Amino acid sequence: MNLRERLASGSFAVTAEISPPRGAGLESITTVTGPLRDRVDAVNVTDNQGANVRLASWAGSLAVQAAGLAPVMQMTCRDRNRIALQSDLLGACALGIRNILVMTGDHPKFGDHPGAKPVFDLDSVQLLWTLRTMRDEGVLLSGRSLDPAPDCFLGAVENPFAPPASFRAERLGKKIAAGAQFVQTQFVFDIPAFTRWMAQVRDLGLHEQCYILPGVGAVRSLRALEFMRDKVPGVQVPDDVFRRLKAVPADQVAAEGTRLAAETVQQVRDISGVAGVHLLVAGNERVVPAILEGAGIGVGRDGR
Amino acid sequence: MVSVGFSVATKRQTPFKRRLLADNTESAPRPVRPRLGARTAYRLQRMLAPNAGYRWLSSRIEGSAVAVRLFTAGERTTKGTLFGCRMCGQCALPATGYVCPMGCPKELRNGPCGGVGADGSCEVYPELRCVWVDAYERAASQGRAADLRLLHRPADHRRLGQSSWLNYWQGRDEALWADGSAGPRVRP
């Protein structure tokens, strides 16, 4: 059962995120996808996340496929103009990569090449709109026809916690109008705020037009949590999460972080309109079995 | 310090003349807060709506290269001063609460990115406010929040530096935004 079928069947979907290596080898992909086998429906492959150079997401996606799992190829608008983005989608679909996740992308200022030219020729809404038209109408942004048209399952991202709060659900609505079929969110630490956003999403009927997968991550250390709060754009960590992790001995923080992640998965699963969960575990994939077991989610996903 | 922009830190010290001739198009995009209230901006929108008079005027202007240059310079100065205009030539202001989206460091024309700070600050320039936070508040304050649901088509980079007013009055700006049922393609 692939990701699209899993979501369409109404059973709870699980995706997880990995980052490709900084180097010209694919061995690490096999290592990091090991703990995900049988446990996730698809594996996100990041596109130079944080504006740091990594192996291309299409190549990482092919390696995920070769490892026997289904990739979600992430595409940002930061590094490529509309010509390259459309070309990359055609290449990916021709190679059997079906799940595409579109996002604006972090600004180069935050990465390892802060002097790079920020491209942002299209924004995420325009890219979704373009890809949907390529698939459904078989035409490029230029109007020229495609043969054959690409077959893809289009995803978007959203940050339910960033201002303007009352516009965030409507922004998802724009992405759905543009072509998004599923959405993965930023880290959910603040359950009440996520619940409020989901209420707005349901009021607009968006949960019936798009599968919603909240992002859940496992905290490894207090330092990592501080980094996430202070350095990763758009992540908000409530004080009670800090208090909870500070209350345990230093060598227990990672285990407590995993427990917190499992509890978060259970809590978001109970919210009406949530179709699955997206585990933000890049670099920490080994905790996936523990999170899912803690949340009572069994094995047996073939991830194809 | 030479300032040609509207950085919050320097605007008070910048001589009026230099501000008047400000040109935002020579530097990387950064958020600018409009100097014109939302209510006034929407009133001006009604005054500047295309009609036979503006069509006649704009076609007369387009008949002379010198007139186009002068008119475009006037637009650059006016909108640069009021909105930090970057002369994309396809003005989005009427649909964005009269906050210029091209001042967003990612030049997003369809709403804020996910990196907006909890206090509404820009991800790239934390000392400045996200243009979309301002845009939403200003549009909502005038009952125009629904404008922000429109899908803006990709910008045409051939229009950089052109007069958006002439394009608007000549009817060349009609396809800038749509609802999702239409396609993303702008005229070739």
Side-chain angles (χ1 to χ4, degrees):
Chain A
M1 200 185 277
N2 65 28
L3 179 62
R4 193 195 312 219
E5 290 160 354
R6 168 74 64 191
L7 288 164
S9 76
S11 67
F12 197 72
V14 181
T15 57
E17 185 166 297
I18 64 161
S19 53
R22 188 168 57 241
L26 292 169
E27 298 76 20
S28 72
I29 303 261
T30 322
T31 317
V32 300
T33 50
L36 308 179
R37 189 177 308 282
D38 295 335
R39 295 186 178 271
V40 303
D41 296 297
V43 179
N44 280 49
V45 183
T46 56
D47 178 9
N48 300 300
Q49 83 273 18
N52 296 295
V53 172
R54 299 272 181 154
L55 180 132
S57 65
W58 65 264
S61 296
L62 282 186
V64 166
Q65 260 179 351
L69 287 119
V72 177
M73 185 180 92
Q74 300 196 177
M75 276 181 118
T76 74
C77 299
R78 178 191 56 234
D79 308 316
R80 287 161 290 180
N81 69 7
R82 62 192 79 179
I83 298 171
L85 288 166
Q86 293 178 91
S87 161
D88 279 358
L89 178 85
L90 295 178
C93 288
L95 292 166
I97 300 166
R98 293 280 175 264
N99 308 314
I100 310 288
L101 188 80
V102 168
M103 62 188 74
T104 304
D106 290 317
H107 194 275
K109 180 193 166 184
F110 298 101
D112 56 4
H113 294 69
K117 180 175 170 58
V119 179
F120 301 114
D121 181 32
L122 301 182
D123 63 31
S124 53
V125 170
Q126 292 161 349
L127 179 56
L128 283 163
W129 204 3
T130 300
L131 301 186
R132 186 196 80 192
T133 313
M134 290 170 74
R135 181 193 63 202
D136 294 351
E137 291 164 38
V139 291
L140 294 168
L141 195 49
S142 66
R144 297 185 87 168
S145 63
L146 292 165
D147 183 24
D151 174 24
C152 50
F153 186 48
L154 295 173
V157 298
E158 188 50 79
N159 185 346
F161 312 106
S166 40
F167 184 61
R168 284 289 160 182
E170 288 193 28
R171 173 136 170 89
L172 175 60
K174 284 184 79 158
K175 291 186 174 183
I176 294 169
Q181 296 166 288
F182 68 97
V183 60
Q184 296 171 329
T185 78
Q186 184 55 277
F187 282 96
V188 175
F189 286 114
D190 189 342
I191 304 271
F194 180 73
T195 308
R196 283 195 295 277
W197 179 74
M198 278 304 298
Q200 293 174 14
V201 165
R202 286 194 304 272
D203 286 346
L204 295 169
L206 302 178
H207 63 304
E208 287 161 354
Q209 303 164 47
C210 176
Y211 303 108
I212 295 163
L213 292 85
V216 177
V219 179
R220 266 189 291 184
S221 66
L222 288 170
R223 233 184 67 196
L225 191 63
E226 274 163 17
F227 177 84
M228 244 185 298
R229 179 191 59 187
D230 302 334
K231 293 283 187 312
V232 182
V235 178
Q236 286 168 29
V237 185
D239 289 338
D240 56 349
V241 171
F242 267 98
R243 272 196 294 275
R244 174 168 170 177
L245 292 167
K246 274 182 185 157
V248 298
D251 61 334
Q252 299 288 308
V253 170
E256 189 65 17
T258 305
R259 265 196 296 280
L260 176 66
E263 286 167 27
T264 308
V265 171
Q266 283 175 316
Q267 283 168 320
V268 295
R269 193 179 183 175
D270 289 338
I271 299 171
S272 163
V274 168
V277 69
H278 177 51
L279 300 174
L280 292 154
V281 288
N284 192 21
E285 299 81 3
R286 280 167 306 161
V287 300
V288 165
I291 296 175
L292 293 176
E293 277 157 27
I297 294 170
V299 293
R301 289 165 195 266
D302 58 10
R304 298 304 283 170
Chain B
M1 176 177 184
V2 178
S3 171
V4 292
F6 291 88
S7 82
V8 169
T10 56
K11 73 176 178 187
R12 297 219 178 274
Q13 298 95 318
T14 312
F16 179 71
K17 252 185 182 167
R18 194 174 288 161
R19 262 197 284 146
L20 191 70
L21 298 173
D23 180 350
N24 305 285
T25 59
E26 299 293 319
S27 54
R30 52 190 287 138
V32 174
R33 300 195 80 168
R35 287 152 179 256
L36 195 65
R39 182 196 293 259
T40 317
Y42 283 112
R43 229 177 249 153
L44 272 176
Q45 179 185 22
R46 286 192 286 276
M47 280 170 55
L48 290 169
N51 59 34
Y54 285 131
R55 263 192 299 280
W56 174 82
L57 176 69
S58 53
S59 59
R60 285 299 300 266
I61 292 170
E62 293 199 330
S64 149
V66 174
V68 168
R69 264 209 301 284
L70 286 172
F71 185 83
T72 307
E75 180 175 337
R76 183 185 296 257
T77 302
T78 311
K79 278 165 60 181
T81 305
L82 294 177
F83 304 108
C85 169
R86 301 184 57 81
M87 294 300 284
C88 68
Q90 45 219 302
C91 195
L93 288 172
T96 59
Y98 282 87
V99 182
C100 180
M102 302 311 271
C104 163
K106 299 177 181 176
E107 299 185 330
L108 301 182
R109 288 172 79 96
N110 276 297
C113 75
V116 185
D119 56 353
S121 58
C122 171
E123 159 190 307
V124 180
Y125 299 101
E127 72 280 16
L128 301 175
R129 202 168 149 83
C130 166
V131 296
W132 285 101
V133 172
D134 262 349
Y136 184 76
E137 282 172 8
R138 281 166 59 99
S141 77
Q142 302 302 311
R144 297 285 294 264
D147 288 354
L148 272 73
R149 290 186 206 139
L150 293 163
L151 269 54
H152 289 245
R153 292 192 166 91
D156 182 340
H157 292 279
R158 292 169 297 187
R159 287 215 194 164
L160 194 68
Q162 290 181 7
S163 161
S164 180
W165 283 340
L166 292 177
N167 286 333
Y168 179 50
W169 288 333
Q170 286 292 308
R172 292 187 291 257
D173 265 5
E174 279 161 13
L176 289 185
W177 45 77
D179 64 20
S181 58
R185 185 177 165 227
V186 197
R187 249 158 298 176

